[in-house]
Structure formats: structure tokens, C-alpha cells
């Protein structure tokens, strides 16, 4: 099973999550602050981090940013605050998913399993490993190796978080095809509560920051207003935010 680092300052939440996950066979390391959580990374070497946003001292947002500076392991936010601002800021800091507390052990484990599958994407639509499809694709200056799960831009390897990688693999498997946020939630995040569309938008924003020359004028991950997202380079018209379009927002 998984090695999970839980960074949470509330003793009751720590106890409840620890017991729930240990019953399911996971190995848990607990840290009560962002600082001790960062120290535990090298020693414990977790497969996944569960991270509270409201921590004493170093905030959960800062801890998330620090982890993302050197590691691309999955991060799931645990937060008692479900309002848009906190969650979007957390997602923009690099988290792969979020869970609003309180949450059952079943919900936490299901989200953990989904985000861990993004480390080695299995979705058949991505074309990874299927006969007759190229394993290495070139899209303009972007190279995608579906077997090695590597992405390079202009010859330099890019470091992508698990959700960013799976989103890119999924979209690039069907250039020009438009996918709704709801469809992307179901295929990439493996849950479909409509309010979680902000997961898609935040991940697209982070991905654009890494693969686009100008994230405000995206070439690869383009918005089709009123519908969703598509992968380019493809011919673009007035309904998109690719080259020549009026805007670049999601």
C-alpha cells in the first residue's frame, strides 16, 4: 500500500485520518506543522502528501510551494474551508486535488487512489503503450514520450505534477477535440462533482505556465469558450484563445 505523509495540526483529525488509513493498510507519518512536514520528506519518502491549509507557522500553501520546488509527488489538500478563494489558491500552489473536512476514510482513500493513478496514467484514451500508436509524439516544440512519461519543450525536459502530466497526455491524444471540464474531471481526476471544475482550471493554468511560450496566448492547451479545452497546435477561430484570439483566460 501507499506511504502517506499527513501534515495536519489538529490532533483529532490526525488521529481519525491515521486510524482510517492504517486500517486500510497504508503506512502513515504524521507532522503537526509545515516545517516538520518538510523535514519528514527525505526521511520518510512518502508516495503522497495529505496537507492541511491552516497550519501554525508555515502555512499549508507555503509548504505546498516548497514541496513543488523539488518534488512532483501527489499532494492532496485537506481543508475545513471549502470556499473558492482558499481552494483555488491551494490548487494554484501545486496541489493535485482537495478534500473538504470532515471526510470519511472511504472518501480519502478513493481520492488517494485516483491521484496515485495519475503518476502512471492508465487511461486508454491516452494511447500509452497501444500498438499502432507512436509512443513519442512531437507537437510543435513539445515532445511527449508516453512510455517514459516524459515531456520536453525545445529539447529541455519539463517537470510536471501528476495531474498536469495526465491532463496533457489525455488532451494531446486527440488534438483539436474539445473536452468539457466535466469530462476532464471524470477522466483525469476520476470524480465528477460539478463544483470541482476549478480543479481543471487551476491545473490548466499551471500547465500553461510550463509548456506555453506565452500563457496568455496559449498554443497547446486552448480554451474554447463556453465548451472547455482542446489541445493544439490546430487552426483556431474567434471562439478560442489560441494565436490570434482575443484573450487567453480560462
Amino acid at each position: 500500500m501507499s506511504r502517506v505523509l499527513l501534515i495536519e495540526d489538529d490532533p483529532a483529525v490526525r488521529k481519525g485520518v491515521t486510524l482510517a488509513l492504517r486500517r486500510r493498510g497504508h503506512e502513515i507519518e504524521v507532522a503537526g506543522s509545515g516545517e516538520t512536514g518538510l523535514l519528514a520528506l527525505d526521511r520518510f519518502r512518502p508516495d503522497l502528501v495529505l496537507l492541511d491549509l491552516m497550519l501554525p507557522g508555515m502555512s499549508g500553501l507555503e509548504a505546498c510551494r516548497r514541496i513543488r520546488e523539488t518534488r512532483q509527488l501527489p499532494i492532496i489538500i485537506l481543508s475545513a474551508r471549502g470556499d473558492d478563494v482558499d481552494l483555488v489558491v491551494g490548487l494554484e500552489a501545486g496541489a493535485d486535488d482537495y478534500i473538504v473536512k470532515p471526510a470519511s476514510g472511504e472518501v480519502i482513500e478513493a481520492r488517494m487512489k485516483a491521484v496515485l493513478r495519475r503518476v502512471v496514467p492508465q487511461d486508454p484514451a491516452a494511447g500509452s503503450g497501444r500498438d499502432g500508436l507512436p509512443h513519442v509524439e512531437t507537437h510543435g516544440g513539445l515532445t511527449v514520450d508516453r512510455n517514459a512519461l516524459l515531456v520536453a519543450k525545445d529539447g529541455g525536459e519539463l517537470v510536471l505534477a501528476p495531474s498536469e502530466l495526465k491532463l496533457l497526455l489525455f488532451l494531446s491524444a486527440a488534438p483539436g477535440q474539445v473536452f468539457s471540464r466535466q469530462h476532464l474531471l471524470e477522466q483525469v481526476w476520476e470524480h465528477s462533482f460539478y463544483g470541482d471544475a476549478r480543479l481543471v482550471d487551476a491545473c490548466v493554468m499551471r500547465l500553461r505556465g510550463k509548456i506555453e511560450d506565452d500563457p496568455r496566448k496559449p498554443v497547446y492547451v486552448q480554451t474554447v469558450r463556453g465548451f472547455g479545452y482542446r489541445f493544439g497546435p490546430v487552426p483556431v477561430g474567434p471562439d478560442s484563445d489560441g494565436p490570434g484570439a482575443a484573450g487567453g483566460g480560462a
Side-chain angles (χ1 to χ4, degrees), residues 43-44 62 88 107 170 176 179 187:
R43 173 175 49 80
F44 184 60
E62 180 60 23
V88 169
V107 168
F170 184 85
F179 296 99
Q187 296 299 319

Side-chain angles (χ1 to χ4, degrees), residues 163-243:
S163 295
E164 298 163 6
L165 175 60
K166 189 172 181 183
L167 179 62
L168 178 60
L169 291 176
F170 184 85
L171 290 173
S172 63
Q177 183 173 342
V178 179
F179 296 99
S180 68
R181 289 170 174 82
Q182 188 73 9
H183 187 75
L184 292 172
L185 273 173
E186 294 168 359
Q187 296 299 319
V188 178
W189 281 266
E190 301 182 34
H191 54 86
S192 57
F193 173 57
Y194 187 74
D196 289 346
R198 54 198 164 187
L199 284 168
V200 181
D201 295 336
C203 189
V204 165
M205 185 194 70
R206 293 187 344 237
L207 183 59
R208 282 175 173 167
K210 296 179 180 181
I211 67 174
E212 303 285 359
D213 291 329
D214 184 351
R216 297 169 299 177
K217 299 179 180 179
V219 172
Y220 298 108
V221 180
Q222 302 171 353
T223 302
V224 180
R225 292 187 180 89
F227 294 93
Y229 296 104
R230 68 182 175 192
F231 184 83
V234 294
V236 297
D239 64 337
S240 76
D241 62 5

Side-chain angles (χ1 to χ4, degrees), residues 30-49:
V30 176
S33 68
E35 291 86 350
T36 56
L38 294 179
L39 291 174
L41 285 174
D42 287 328
R43 173 175 49 80
F44 184 60
R45 302 183 65 83
D47 301 309
L48 179 144
V49 175

Side-chain angles (χ1 to χ4, degrees), residues 72 118-122 126-130 133-137 143-152 157-162 165-166 168-169:
Q72 297 307 317
R118 290 171 223 163
V119 179
V120 184
Q122 299 294 323
S128 180
R130 291 195 296 168
L133 286 178
H135 300 310
V136 179
E137 306 165 2
T143 301
V144 178
D145 186 332
R146 295 183 180 277
N147 275 1
L149 301 179
L150 295 175
V151 178
E157 184 178 337
L158 299 178
V159 180
L160 302 181
L165 175 60
K166 189 172 181 183
L168 178 60
L169 291 176

